[in-house]
Amino acid sequence: MPDHPAHYVKLAEKAREAANMHSVSAVLAWDQETYMPAGGADARAGQLSLVARLHHEMCTAKELGELITACEADDRLTEGDTCESANIREMRRDYDKKTKLPAKLVSELTEATSRAQHAWKSARADSNFAAFRPFLDKVLELSREKARCLSDGSGELYDALIDVYEPGVKASEIEEVFTPLRKQISDLVRTIADNGKPPSTEILERPVAPAKQEAFGKFVAESCGFSFERGRLDITTHPFCEGVGPGDTRMTTRYREASWTDSLYGIMHEMGHGLYEQGLPLGESHGQGHVESQFGLPCGEAVSLGIHESQSRLWENAVGRSQAFWTWALPHAQKHLGQVMGDQTPESITRAVNTADPSLIRVEADEGTYNLHIMIRFELERALLSGDLSTADLPDAWNTAYKESLGLDVPNDREGCLQDVHWSFGLIGYFPTYTLGNLYAAQFWEKVREENPDLDDQIAKGNFAPLLSWFRSRIHIHGRRYTPSQLCERATGKPLSAEPLVRQLKQKLYPVYGIKQ
Ligand code: ZN
């Protein structure tokens, strides 16, 4: 970057060093989940914690703060809507977030969450919420303190925690979208339960060997645009996707012989994350000419968990569960998966993979009911943090919400308020990003189809390029240049709303259940 002032060049250099350190940690963590022999666990924990400490030191170094200040004072860098001004703004944000928390609070949180995770595991196994409750109280108390340190003094404490995952979004804004959404989805689920005829899902239970599932999944990912020259797919118990660095995006999945769509949709989900990572401006060409590398700088990073999740949900649900997709995919599925697919049509598979069947467990929920699980958690954790809800009353509040929204009786806390790992990890403010992701995905999907009226025909021919290039130019290429809300408005012309998601769920689910609209 020859034209930049020396303090910006130096700042970018420091940021890249820290990003490289993060890449080191990402490879170590990936290896730990995929190929490391069990015997390496102790040594790996030591390696990971050393790298984490070095990374933290680099991100909080006094020199880095001084360089940011110097850049902020330089009008050439901060004026106008440029990558440089966005980088400086976001580096200030990151630096303040990392340096605002007292070291004592950070170590207390680490210890409390590590204890809470242990307690949660055995409490969940015994379905004994009382045993977990004191640990949850401790995590909440420290989370309030964390929120106080991070807060700018406006709004509620919960806002400061959401801001870590979804910059700039407030709980009251989420509530405004979630309240009508919860009612509409709840009504939709009830209409289907009362009047619908459930589709046959027998095809989903036919056994398929993992090797065949893998071959098909890789074929689909490559066809959609995921580059295996710049990425990998491996096996882990808990699937994830991580952009390790330029040209290196690792995704993982798991295979169950008795449920071949688990791995297919798991792969399409992680692939959506992976396409975002591969589309960030890290100095590689995406058919849009050479792009200056923003590696290590905010403009080279994903903007938020919600936008990240919008990419995974879009490929998994909007694309992967559409009839256009199965028109293209079925012959390939027949080739890769063999005899089991012999009697299927694009219509029969599409019906089988689009359901709205209320269930107790979030991670097993279908597309139709998933957001209800999230909205319940958003309301409860917000009330827990503010103190409006005592942990003593959590199981009752949980069970009441499940009855109201999903019509289900929760038989025990294991299948109720103890089912998720998030709170024991101190991940408060994280849940809403899942539903924000679905909402962004639906709004983007509506817009991309409006601008590409033949999109379904293209997908039915296996041509995913128009869809991918829309996302490359509207979302991926910008990194953190704009906030999530700005990105949404720039891409779709409107602020985030619940309407597109509700419309799309009705359009997909009512015909499957034989309900006239
Ligand atoms: Zn995801």
Side-chain angles (χ1 to χ4, degrees):
M1 288 183 286
D3 299 334
H4 287 128
H7 38 269
Y8 186 82
V9 175
K10 186 85 190 155
L11 177 62
E13 203 179 288
K14 291 278 159 201
R16 289 207 166 99
E17 279 176 8
N20 273 326
M21 189 60 83
H22 180 75
S23 295
V24 170
S25 138
V27 177
L28 287 174
W30 169 85
D31 174 69
Q32 173 176 273
E33 301 303 315
T34 49
Y35 296 108
M36 187 189 78
D42 281 349
R44 183 57 50 89
Q47 295 152 12
L48 278 166
S49 98
L50 169 66
V51 177
R53 180 165 61 76
L54 293 174
H55 181 249
H56 184 76
E57 282 170 17
M58 293 166 103
C59 294
T60 54
K62 205 162 155 255
E63 189 193 358
L64 190 72
E66 288 163 0
L67 286 167
I68 296 172
T69 308
C71 289
E72 283 171 333
D74 187 338
D75 292 346
R76 291 168 299 175
L77 290 167
T78 54
E79 267 171 14
D81 172 13
T82 63
C83 244
E84 288 76 11
S85 71
N87 280 335
I88 294 162
R89 178 194 75 219
E90 293 298 305
M91 280 196 272
R92 162 61 66 197
R93 191 186 127 84
D94 294 346
Y95 187 78
D96 284 354
K97 273 210 164 18
K98 289 206 165 79
T99 51
K100 264 180 177 175
L101 295 181
K104 181 164 168 282
L105 176 60
V106 173
S107 73
E108 278 178 349
L109 258 169
T110 308
E111 198 185 321
T113 50
S114 144
R115 284 171 197 269
Q117 285 160 46
H118 277 284
W120 169 75
K121 265 187 205 149
S122 55
R124 186 175 73 151
D126 304 339
S127 194
N128 179 3
F129 178 74
F132 178 56
R133 200 187 143 205
F135 297 91
L136 179 58
D137 276 327
K138 185 72 187 167
V139 170
L140 283 166
E141 180 199 318
L142 294 171
S143 299
R144 281 184 206 107
E145 208 172 318
K146 177 179 164 186
R148 268 180 223 112
C149 296
L150 295 177
S151 169
D152 61 4
S154 72
E156 58 186 273
L157 282 182
Y158 187 58
D159 289 345
L161 298 183
I162 304 172
D163 189 70
V164 175
Y165 311 110
E166 203 63 20
V169 178
K170 309 247 171 288
S172 55
E173 293 165 359
I174 294 178
E175 185 188 346
E176 232 166 84
V177 181
F178 278 18
T179 304
L181 182 68
R182 185 163 168 191
K183 162 105 183 46
Q184 285 168 309
I185 295 191
S186 201
D187 288 350
L188 176 133
V189 169
R190 196 152 305 142
T191 305
I192 285 172
D194 293 347
N195 311 310
K197 186 176 169 293
S200 164
T201 53
E202 178 269 333
I203 173 68
L204 311 183
E205 285 145 34
R206 295 183 192 171
V208 177
K212 291 181 175 180
Q213 295 184 31
E214 184 184 11
F216 182 50
K218 277 191 166 164
F219 171 77
V220 169
E222 190 149 35
S223 305
C224 291
F226 184 87
S227 163
F228 283 95
E229 307 257 289
R230 303 189 289 124
R232 289 185 59 90
L233 173 66
D234 294 272
I235 300 174
T236 52
T237 329
H238 302 289
F240 63 86
C241 177
E242 169 99 41
V244 164
D248 189 354
T249 296
R250 314 276 174 113
M251 55 177 182
T252 69
T253 194
R254 60 184 163 201
Y255 301 99
R256 283 202 300 139
E257 185 148 347
S259 182
W260 60 275
T261 44
D262 272 13
S263 72
L264 174 66
Y265 288 119
I267 289 170
M268 290 190 81
H269 180 99
E270 301 309 334
M271 174 202 86
H273 287 304
L275 289 171
Y276 187 11
E277 292 291 331
Q278 290 188 336
L280 291 166
L282 303 181
E284 302 155 274
S285 173
H286 302 296
Q288 308 186 49
H290 183 76
V291 181
E292 189 192 338
S293 176
Q294 294 287 323
F295 172 64
L297 298 166
C299 283
E301 291 169 353
V303 67
S304 74
L305 288 184
I307 296 291
H308 229 308
E309 198 65 9
S310 77
Q311 302 303 292
S312 57
R313 298 288 173 159
L314 183 117
W315 288 94
E316 176 193 356
N317 291 330
V319 177
R321 294 178 201 277
S322 68
Q323 194 165 311
F325 173 80
W326 279 108
T327 303
W328 164 75
L330 185 59
H332 300 289
Q334 281 162 340
K335 192 176 121 217
H336 282 99
L337 307 180
Q339 204 48 42
V340 291
M341 304 296 287
D343 58 351
Q344 293 300 304
T345 62
E347 294 79 13
S348 66
I349 300 250
T350 309
R351 276 197 299 274
V353 298
N354 283 294
T355 51
D357 192 12
S359 60
L360 291 167
I361 307 294
R362 174 185 64 86
V363 294
E364 293 165 8
D366 53 39
E367 192 197 357
T369 56
Y370 186 84
N371 296 296
L372 291 171
H373 294 263
I374 297 303
M375 291 185 275
I376 290 170
R377 284 157 178 76
F378 162 72
E379 281 182 17
L380 292 175
E381 69 176 14
R382 187 183 181 195
L384 283 172
L385 195 81
S386 72
D388 286 351
L389 176 67
S390 148
T391 50
D393 301 324
L394 176 62
D396 273 350
W398 181 284
N399 300 349
T400 307
Y402 267 73
K403 185 75 185 173
E404 266 175 31
S405 284
L406 286 145
L408 296 174
D409 292 306
V410 180
N412 55 56
D413 293 337
R414 181 174 48 222
E415 293 167 277
C417 65
L418 282 175
Q419 66 179 269
D420 292 306
V421 71
H422 298 61
W423 290 337
S424 71
F425 269 85
L427 294 174
I428 294 163
Y430 190 110
F431 277 124
T433 66
Y434 293 117
T435 288
L436 288 173
N438 286 323
L439 291 164
Y440 286 129
Q443 195 156 324
F444 295 153
W445 184 240
E446 203 162 85
K447 189 68 180 172
V448 67
R449 286 156 66 86
E450 187 189 309
E451 292 182 12
N452 296 269
D454 68 339
L455 196 72
D456 279 356
D457 297 339
Q458 296 300 332
I459 290 176
K461 285 186 219 149
N463 181 13
F464 298 95
L467 179 61
L468 183 56
S469 68
W470 192 91
F471 279 102
R472 289 270 190 258
S473 62
R474 301 296 176 98
I475 306 294
H476 304 173
I477 200 74
H478 298 303
R480 293 167 63 189
R481 182 149 169 184
Y482 306 106
T483 66
S485 328
Q486 286 169 339
L487 258 187
C488 176
E489 288 221 39
R490 289 177 63 95
T492 68
K494 291 180 199 136
L496 186 65
S497 123
E499 300 309 319
L501 180 63
V502 175
R503 265 199 291 276
Q504 285 164 34
L505 286 174
K506 281 186 183 162
Q507 272 165 15
K508 274 213 278 192
L509 293 168
Y510 281 176
V512 169
Y513 283 84
I515 296 170
K516 293 213 170 60
Q517 292 196 56

